[in-house]
Amino acid sequence: MRYYLKKCGHQELGSVVNGQASRGRYLFISKDERVLEMFPPLSSTQLNDSAVIPIIPLYSDKKVYCKFVYHNSAVADPPSNGKGRNEYRFYLNRELENGNLLFAADDIVVLRTDKVQGDYGDVQTVYLVDIVKDRNSELYRELSNALENSDVRQSRQGHAIYDGVISYFEGKAEARLRNIENSLVAVDKTVKDELERTDIPTMESLFNATMFRDFVMVGYQWLCAVTREVIRYENFINLESAHIRPKSHGGPFVPSNGLALSRDFHWAFDKGFFTISDNHEIIVHDKISSDYLLYFNGKKIYLPNDPFFRPAPENLTYHRDNVFGLFLTSGRL
């Protein structure tokens, strides 16, 4: 098992005074190859290339998305005075810190990666993170010793690779990973705002199937867009993230192409039993006699408060023109 250890620095955490940070909080990430292998590859030519990565905090019951950025102005766009940045940063946010300034100077952050399989068969790398705070604990002393004897680049800034098994970490990780498929997801406003400013082609390249599902569920508050209901017990849930423009038709994995639907409504939507108008009313096909579906005919779906998560008009148009009534030509259901 391989872990990345990072001792938090005062400056990185925004120089906290009287409980207030003077600026944004982040962790420097070492440029050592063993460390960077754990993170998504970022371009040295694209200015300030970044990725949004899923974090599983072992001190929380949710999954959080954070920004990982290569600040590379000294490499990608060298200024005339020869100055610029050449550093990797992992940005903290309110969701990761449980709404507080949770990370403190000299805390030791322990990180390792794992693979989880999503609803669509995709495999996503997740980042398991915990914080060791007790300076008097045997674990803190053990990890401090690893940091003091580290051969990682920039080790003086508190970086180390730890090869072995950290039992306390693995015990917590096992419990969290068992329920990760349907664990609640938190999308921090800073991450969402950053994605909202991203052009569509770039955004499409950032999202995968698992990230699509997470963001759609957050946007619809883990409730069906049609019924506003959910059946849930622990890690069992009857909700699915439905593509408006189908994946098989080139539909992108972005929130504006998604709806949170219960499994029966997802099936009916994909078959074209019903569609949605531009003013978000449900239109049930006139060949359908189901009282259950007809009850919702003419009713409006729930719309997320944040426009970022709402259906794009062009995707609704595509569904009406290309999917609505598809069951009539499919041969069988």
Side-chain angles (χ1 to χ4, degrees), residues 3 15 60 73 130 142 179 188 228 251 264 275 286 297 300:
Y3 306 85
S15 300
S60 173
S73 56
D130 207 353
E142 179 184 354
N179 296 312
D188 187 82
R228 297 302 291 154
D264 50 354
T275 192
D286 59 14
N297 192 42
K300 289 193 173 185

Side-chain angles (χ1 to χ4, degrees), residues 267-295:
W267 176 83
F269 189 65
D270 284 354
K271 295 296 183 184
F273 280 30
F274 73 95
T275 192
I276 299 168
S277 71
D278 281 338
N279 64 351
H280 306 110
E281 290 182 353
I282 296 168
I283 305 170
V284 178
H285 199 281
D286 59 14
K287 296 293 185 181
I288 297 299
S289 58
S290 165
D291 290 339
Y292 181 46
L293 273 180
L294 288 171
Y295 171 79

Side-chain angles (χ1 to χ4, degrees), residues 6-283:
K6 175 68 178 80
K7 181 174 281 191
C8 298
H10 178 71
Q11 182 178 356
E12 296 168 88
L13 298 180
S15 300
V16 176
V17 177
N18 296 326
Q20 297 291 325
S22 61
R23 54 188 174 277
R25 290 160 62 82
Y26 58 87
L27 298 178
F28 280 120
I29 301 300
S30 170
K31 287 184 279 189
D32 187 285
E33 290 182 2
R34 292 168 296 174
V35 174
L36 292 182
E37 283 176 356
M38 303 175 76
F39 290 90
L42 297 179
S43 170
S44 60
T45 57
Q46 175 66 42
L47 184 63
N48 296 332
D49 195 16
S50 65
V52 177
I53 57 178
I55 307 296
I56 310 298
L58 300 186
Y59 49 83
S60 173
D61 60 355
K62 58 192 174 186
K63 183 198 294 185
V64 178
Y65 281 88
C66 295
K67 290 190 298 180
F68 174 59
V69 182
Y70 181 20
H71 292 285
N72 57 5
S73 56
V75 177
D77 185 23
S80 58
N81 61 8
K83 295 182 179 180
R85 289 181 179 173
N86 182 16
E87 61 194 32
Y88 291 87
R89 291 185 181 185
F90 167 77
Y91 281 89
L92 310 181
N93 58 47
R94 285 182 58 82
E95 295 295 346
L96 184 65
E97 296 200 83
N98 289 338
N100 301 302
L101 300 181
L102 181 62
F103 290 64
D106 293 330
D107 286 354
I108 299 176
V109 177
V110 184
L111 177 149
R112 81 161 174 84
T113 62
D114 211 320
K115 303 285 188 182
V116 297
Q117 186 165 337
D119 290 348
Y120 294 90
D122 64 310
V123 176
Q124 183 186 40
T125 298
V126 294
Y127 295 80
L128 302 161
V129 170
D130 207 353
I131 315 168
V132 181
K133 288 179 164 290
D134 185 356
R135 312 304 193 252
N136 297 316
S137 69
E138 181 179 343
L139 176 62
Y140 188 90
R141 289 193 292 271
E142 179 184 354
L143 299 183
S144 292
N145 184 63
L147 286 161
E148 290 170 6
N149 294 285
S150 172
D151 63 348
V152 169
R153 292 178 61 184
Q154 303 160 298
S155 59
R156 289 185 179 180
Q157 297 177 17
H159 306 270
I161 289 290
Y162 185 103
D163 287 314
V165 176
I166 302 177
S167 298
Y168 103 95
F169 187 98
E170 293 309 317
K172 296 170 76 173
E174 182 181 0
R176 288 286 284 113
L177 288 171
R178 274 201 305 267
N179 296 312
I180 192 58
E181 183 179 353
N182 289 305
S183 64
L184 291 175
V185 179
V187 176
D188 187 82
K189 185 178 184 300
T190 58
V191 174
K192 194 275 299 176
D193 288 349
E194 181 75 18
L195 288 168
E196 196 169 16
R197 290 192 292 269
T198 304
D199 61 84
I200 294 297
T202 302
M203 186 188 296
E204 290 180 10
S205 70
L206 292 174
F207 275 81
N208 57 26
T210 303
M211 191 172 172
F212 169 73
R213 176 188 182 277
D214 288 347
F215 275 65
V216 169
M217 291 301 171
V218 167
Y220 287 86
Q221 301 175 344
W222 294 84
L223 296 171
C224 177
V226 174
T227 67
R228 297 302 291 154
E229 300 288 344
V230 64
I231 301 173
R232 184 184 186 109
Y233 175 75
E234 294 183 349
N235 63 326
F236 298 100
I237 191 169
N238 74 327
L239 286 187
E240 297 175 341
S241 51
H243 281 76
I244 302 170
R245 178 171 181 157
K247 179 174 176 286
S248 59
H249 294 206
F253 284 117
V254 294
S256 59
N257 191 42
L259 295 169
L261 295 174
S262 62
R263 291 181 177 182
D264 50 354
F265 276 95
H266 186 180
W267 176 83
F269 189 65
D270 284 354
K271 295 296 183 184
F273 280 30
F274 73 95
T275 192
I276 299 168
S277 71
D278 281 338
N279 64 351
H280 306 110
E281 290 182 353
I282 296 168
I283 305 170

